[in-house]
Amino acid sequence: MNGQQPIPVTAPIASAQPPSKPAPSLDFVIHIIESPSSDDFLDNRQEGPILLDALSLGAVEVHYYAVIDRAALKKSFERIKGRHSPMAPVRCFPIVHISAHGNSDGIRLTGEREMLKWKELGDLLADLNGSVNGVLLVCMSTCLGFNGFRMAYRTSPVPFYALVGPTISPTWPEALVAYQTFYHLVACKKFDLSPSVEAMNTAAGRAARSFLIVCGEDKQKEFQQLIAGISKILAREDQAETGATA
């Protein structure tokens, strides 16, 4: 994927206004990774197949992965890497859409009782992002999915170019219509990312900033600055303690 330019991301704006200016033409491939709960399976309540059908109507390349545990999740990432390898005949920007139950600490996979914490998911995504030259867009369709920005709290490598997610616990219809809107605007109409996220809030009938976008490198720099600041404070305390005992 040599020669690819960063996906345009502008700062999130306060009001939920529909996008008005198309971005440079970009081709996206959307990978839907879904891990429903047992009750979701029982009630036939799944987001992925609906998104798959809607995106296919818009002639968007989309792939669906039903994931029940960590092993299946890793396999899905390996398949995504294969589709976007430098040897692949067509090179497009990958979007990984993760649909699952979650909270501020991470997500839960179908067949596992233990939460998949952000750090562990971030490790997997960092490897994937590195394999696609750092242009991975991650979309979290989970409760409080915007907390996934914590995955960028690491020294290196950054796990995503940008992350989209809710700061709230959206209902199933809200999350579905929000992401249908986002993908229609970004993948079909070629609008910029941030105003398209603002349109998600309008489509879902939610207040502004219910869905947000963040740049991975920005959060990583924020983390590095925090660590540097803490290190300076600890160094000063050590010097003061040494002086007091001298």
Side-chain angles (χ1 to χ4, degrees), residues 31 34 44 46 68 90 112 135-136 147 158 172 202 227:
H31 301 274
E34 187 163 37
N44 194 27
Q46 297 178 61
I68 63 171
V90 179
E112 298 190 351
V135 297
L136 180 65
N147 283 279
V158 67
W172 281 86
T202 303
I227 295 300

Side-chain angles (χ1 to χ4, degrees), residues 11-203:
I13 53 179
S15 60
Q17 298 295 328
S20 58
K21 183 180 179 181
S25 181
L26 299 172
D27 290 322
F28 293 91
V29 178
I30 301 174
H31 301 274
I32 301 172
I33 297 176
E34 187 163 37
S35 191
S37 69
S38 56
D39 286 341
D40 295 331
F41 277 120
L42 183 64
D43 296 332
N44 194 27
R45 184 173 54 231
Q46 297 178 61
E47 177 182 80
I50 301 175
L51 278 177
L52 182 66
D53 288 343
L55 291 167
S56 297
L57 285 174
V60 177
E61 183 178 349
V62 56
H63 303 276
Y64 180 78
Y65 311 84
V67 167
I68 63 171
D69 54 24
R70 283 168 168 79
L73 180 63
K74 292 176 181 177
K75 286 182 180 179
S76 69
F77 283 169
E78 287 300 318
R79 292 185 182 182
I80 294 171
K81 285 170 64 177
R83 294 182 185 277
H84 294 273
S85 69
M87 301 301 295
V90 179
R91 299 175 182 176
C92 300
F93 290 95
I95 299 177
V96 169
H97 175 99
I98 298 178
S99 177
H101 290 278
N103 56 35
S104 59
D105 295 324
I107 65 172
R108 188 177 300 281
L109 301 178
T110 306
E112 298 190 351
R113 298 178 62 182
E114 182 181 350
M115 293 286 294
L116 180 67
K117 298 296 183 67
W118 293 125
K119 183 184 183 305
E120 185 177 354
L121 180 57
D123 290 340
L124 296 173
L125 287 171
D127 178 63
L128 177 58
N129 190 40
S131 71
V132 297
N133 288 353
V135 297
L136 180 65
L137 173 60
V138 176
C139 293
M140 300 300 305
S141 185
T142 68
C143 289
L144 306 176
F146 186 69
N147 283 279
F149 74 80
R150 299 177 185 178
M151 293 186 287
Y153 281 176
R154 58 177 61 227
T155 53
S156 64
V158 67
F160 49 80
Y161 171 70
L163 178 140
V164 175
T167 60
I168 57 171
S169 295
T171 64
W172 281 86
E174 288 172 345
L176 177 61
V177 73
Y179 277 108
Q180 281 181 316
T181 299
F182 178 72
Y183 293 135
H184 173 70
L185 294 175
V186 170
C188 299
K189 297 298 184 180
K190 313 302 183 185
F191 286 107
D192 286 345
L193 297 181
S194 283
S196 297
V197 172
E198 289 299 318
M200 293 173 70
N201 295 307
T202 303

